Amino acid sequence: MLITRRTKDRIIHGTFFAIAASCVLVLFLIMLFLFIEGLPIFKVVSVPDFIFGTAWYPTDDPADFGILPMIAASFSVTLLSSLIAIPLGIMTAIYLAEIATPRMRNIVKPFVEMLQALPSVVIGFFGMVVVAPLMQEWFDIPTGLNMLNASIMLAFMAVPTITSISEDAIFSVPNEMREASLALGATKWQTIANVVLPASLTGISTAVILGMARSIGETMVVLMVAGGAAMIPTSIFNPVRPMPASIAAEMAEAPFQSDHYYALFATGMVLFLFTLMFNVLAAYFAEKKKQVGVASL
Amino acid sequence: MRFKSLAIMAALVLGLATSAFAGEKITIKGSTTVLPIMQKSVEAFMKKHPDVTIEVSGGGSSNGIKALLDGSTDIAMASRQMKDKEVKLASEKGIDAKEIVIAFDAVVPIVNPANPVTDLTADQLKAIYEGKITNWKEVGGNDAPIVVISRDTSSGTYETWEGKIMNKARVFPGALLQASSGAVLQAVAKNPKAIAYDGLGYVNDSVRAVKVNGIAGSAETAKNNTYKVARSLQIYVNGAPAGATKDLLDFILSEEGQKIVEETGFIKM
């Protein structure tokens, strides 16, 4: 009946390993499923035709499965939303970590984080019902359901991610470095710009990439406000149809294991590869240039 | 996923509820448009005939008809008529596919109430959806670009529109896609330059229905076939229905069954 400390240790070790391993296994199975359901489409259409084709008519006879407009839409929406979200997110982070008084910080931070708690369907609905008609009026454009609207809504969703991770990075810059800079006669602003920011650049890059990954994978918002035209956009006021919107809109009515069904899974595969790329990139930045203590600068 | 998961759930519930009875078993497959009518009808029917087991699933009209020809379903639901190719295949397989119309459905073009256009011809609608007519003034409206809104290509409503209006032409890629009938309404209600189409059951006061070739879409005009974008919803069975299948069909065509048709937003017989 005696359980030695060593066996106890082994059991705990084993339990944790099993839990971690099952996570990895589930992830692997999901990936496997995605590929099993997506790959059959390439019997019908070649890989280049799928990725570079510009016509998406999956239910026509003969059907066309070209997802280039969707890829272009995903990229342009992500890029535009990053252009909005990165300055906002990073500047908010700097304010919170370096400038704000603790009291102010306690007020502002929860509000920024609450943005993250807003369900995406609420943000989408807001964009659809409030922002779209306003945009139509202000810019005198045919439709407010377009790339700019979707990008602004996505930026709302990316800002909290970017802010909180950047803030952590800025906050963790050792105080000695600030003190040294100030002691040399630098102003507060010079210290932030030339010492604190460069020191936390790794964390900020990670924040930005994770924020972008969130934008490229987000479904509900782009389904509701991006407009959904399968056209390669030429202006920020064009309606677009990013990959997640296309999958979400069509999966419900695509016959099980038809070419259309396979094509949607293949679109999911492409999307998965993109987000994977973003995450690998983020991990690379976080790991490669990891700051270890004060001495590494 | 909505219809598919609903169908699976319905099938499970029905399967569990009746597995204790060793009665007749009917399988029903096909159109997701007909599915809500069928689900409600089957629910009501099962209450009266607890000895009958019925499995209902979606998958689309083509899947349903294919299953009927393969003999893997007793009843196929279809929001379109059987194609010549399918009729030929049926006779090759010695299957006597009988069509029974159970409801009607009309798809109407809708615009914003602020839009002065009240009547469009089918040709004008086709040109608008092909992206050839791009300004409202070309069809008697204000000088404003036309914002073309469509359902996504796999929607049954889209297929009706494509079949009755587009005549094998494609909806141009610049058309805005909306994922649901509700979203279509919302988009048109908020945009004076927009045009879309929606099932008659969905149209409300926030938008205005447009006549097609001078005829307004209604239960009346859909039934007497004068309205262009109308269709019948039907089921196909192999040979003259008998036994529980006949009972179910009789129920759907009865007053009580047709009330369910109306409740689900379609036009009764």
Side-chain angles (χ1 to χ4, degrees), chain A:
Chain A
M1 288 309 289
L2 262 174
I3 301 180
T4 61
R5 268 170 54 204
R6 187 176 292 238
T7 3
K8 207 168 164 188
D9 201 49
R10 265 200 205 127
I11 292 171
I12 292 171
H13 185 91
T15 313
F16 276 86
F17 176 77
I19 291 170
S22 58
C23 286
V24 174
L25 185 73
V26 167
L27 183 69
F28 177 75
L29 288 177
I30 291 175
M31 249 174 66
L32 193 70
F33 175 75
L34 188 63
F35 280 78
I36 288 174
E37 297 292 61
L39 287 175
I41 191 62
F42 298 119
K43 282 184 214 148
V44 182
V45 56
S46 69
V47 177
D49 280 352
F50 183 71
I51 294 178
F52 298 111
T54 54
W56 174 256
Y57 289 95
T59 53
D60 278 13
D61 192 19
D64 273 326
F65 298 104
I67 63 163
L68 189 63
M70 268 82 99
I71 297 178
S74 278
F75 266 105
S76 46
V77 165
T78 304
L79 197 72
L80 189 57
S81 78
S82 303
L83 287 181
I84 303 167
I86 293 172
L88 273 178
I90 295 178
M91 282 193 259
T92 312
I94 294 173
Y95 174 76
L96 286 176
E98 295 289 315
I99 301 167
T101 59
R103 225 189 101 187
M104 203 57 197
R105 194 185 139 109
N106 284 340
I107 299 170
V108 176
K109 207 176 172 193
F111 272 98
V112 175
E113 275 161 4
M114 229 145 76
L115 265 183
Q116 193 153 30
L118 275 181
S120 56
V121 67
V122 173
I123 295 183
F125 196 67
F126 177 74
M128 196 171 177
V129 177
V130 179
V131 180
L134 283 179
M135 251 186 202
Q136 259 160 245
E137 220 171 285
W138 289 346
F139 300 112
D140 193 28
I141 43 174
T143 174
L145 300 172
N146 55 31
M147 197 171 128
L148 180 63
N149 191 344
S151 302
I152 293 173
M153 296 302 125
L154 285 178
F156 275 152
M157 307 191 62
V159 161
T161 309
I162 297 178
T163 301
S164 67
I165 301 177
S166 302
E167 202 224 339
D168 282 346
I170 296 172
F171 202 73
S172 65
V173 171
N175 242 340
E176 294 94 317
M177 290 172 57
R178 291 190 188 84
E179 282 159 4
S181 169
L182 293 172
L184 285 171
T187 61
K188 177 127 188 171
W189 172 241
Q190 285 168 331
T191 307
I192 293 173
N194 299 318
V195 177
V196 179
L197 279 189
S200 51
L201 208 56
T202 320
I204 293 176
S205 326
T206 312
V208 165
I209 293 167
L210 288 178
M212 286 173 79
R214 188 169 158 82
S215 302
I216 206 168
E218 166 53 37
T219 308
M220 208 59 216
V221 164
V222 291
L223 183 62
M224 292 172 84
V225 300
M231 232 177 14
I232 294 174
T234 52
S235 136
I236 57 169
F237 295 126
N238 279 160
V240 290
R241 182 161 160 191
M243 287 181 275
S246 176
I247 298 171
E250 294 175 34
M251 192 51 96
E253 291 173 76
F256 181 61
Q257 295 196 333
S258 60
D259 289 345
H260 187 190
Y261 174 93
Y262 292 137
L264 291 176
F265 270 96
T267 310
M269 255 163 58
V270 173
L271 185 61
F272 171 71
L273 292 177
F274 281 131
T275 42
L276 184 72
M277 196 181 73
F278 275 123
N279 280 287
V280 168
L281 220 58
Y284 171 81
F285 271 109
E287 198 52 46
K288 174 91 186 225
K289 301 189 173 172
K290 200 166 169 182
Q291 188 205 331
V292 211
V294 192
S296 72
L297 259 182

Side-chain angles (χ1 to χ4, degrees), chain B residues 10-245:
Chain B
L12 277 178
V13 168
L14 294 176
L16 285 175
T18 56
S19 57
F21 302 94
E24 269 188 275
K25 190 166 172 288
I26 308 175
T27 53
I28 305 172
K29 251 183 217 170
S31 162
T32 49
T33 310
V34 188
L35 194 62
I37 300 179
M38 191 56 86
Q39 275 172 339
K40 284 211 165 166
S41 305
V42 163
E43 257 170 53
F45 180 80
M46 303 273 301
K47 270 188 200 145
K48 296 183 177 177
H49 301 82
D51 55 326
V52 183
T53 313
I54 305 178
E55 270 176 38
V56 190
S57 60
S61 302
S62 306
N63 281 351
I65 291 168
K66 193 170 142 237
L68 185 76
L69 301 186
D70 292 343
S72 61
T73 188
D74 301 309
I75 298 177
M77 305 178 279
S79 57
R80 58 169 173 82
Q81 249 91 29
M82 267 172 81
K83 293 175 185 162
D84 294 345
K85 209 168 67 184
E86 288 161 343
V87 174
K88 212 176 124 209
L89 193 65
S91 65
E92 275 168 19
K93 291 190 170 188
I95 284 172
D96 175 24
K98 287 243 187 306
E99 177 189 299
I100 297 145
V101 177
I102 60 166
F104 291 99
D105 184 22
V107 176
V108 292
I110 49 175
V111 294
N112 190 280
N115 191 325
V117 174
T118 57
D119 195 341
L120 291 167
T121 67
D123 289 339
Q124 285 173 330
L125 283 167
K126 178 168 181 256
I128 288 172
Y129 272 86
E130 278 179 304
K132 284 180 183 158
I133 295 182
T134 56
N135 196 304
W136 280 109
K137 70 180 177 195
E138 293 172 63
V139 292
N142 302 328
D143 182 9
I146 300 180
V147 176
V148 180
I149 297 177
S150 172
R151 285 294 312 280
D152 47 283
T153 51
S154 47
S155 138
T157 316
Y158 172 88
E159 273 180 41
T160 307
W161 191 256
E162 199 185 31
K164 303 278 179 176
I165 292 289
M166 299 309 288
N167 265 328
K168 295 191 177 152
R170 287 173 159 181
V171 171
F172 79 118
L176 273 71
L177 161 147
Q178 292 297 325
S180 70
S181 296
V184 165
L185 269 190
Q186 188 66 250
V188 177
K190 294 275 175 199
N191 191 339
K193 294 165 186 159
I195 183 166
Y197 53 84
D198 223 334
L200 196 56
Y202 288 102
V203 178
N204 62 25
D205 290 345
S206 64
V207 296
R208 197 159 46 71
V210 173
K211 290 178 186 168
V212 180
N213 294 339
I215 293 166
S218 70
E220 195 91 354
T221 54
K223 267 192 265 186
N224 65 21
N225 243 335
T226 50
Y227 181 67
K228 185 150 168 66
V229 209
R231 61 173 168 179
S232 55
L233 302 179
Q234 51 265 311
I235 52 182
Y236 287 97
V237 288
N238 182 10
T245 308

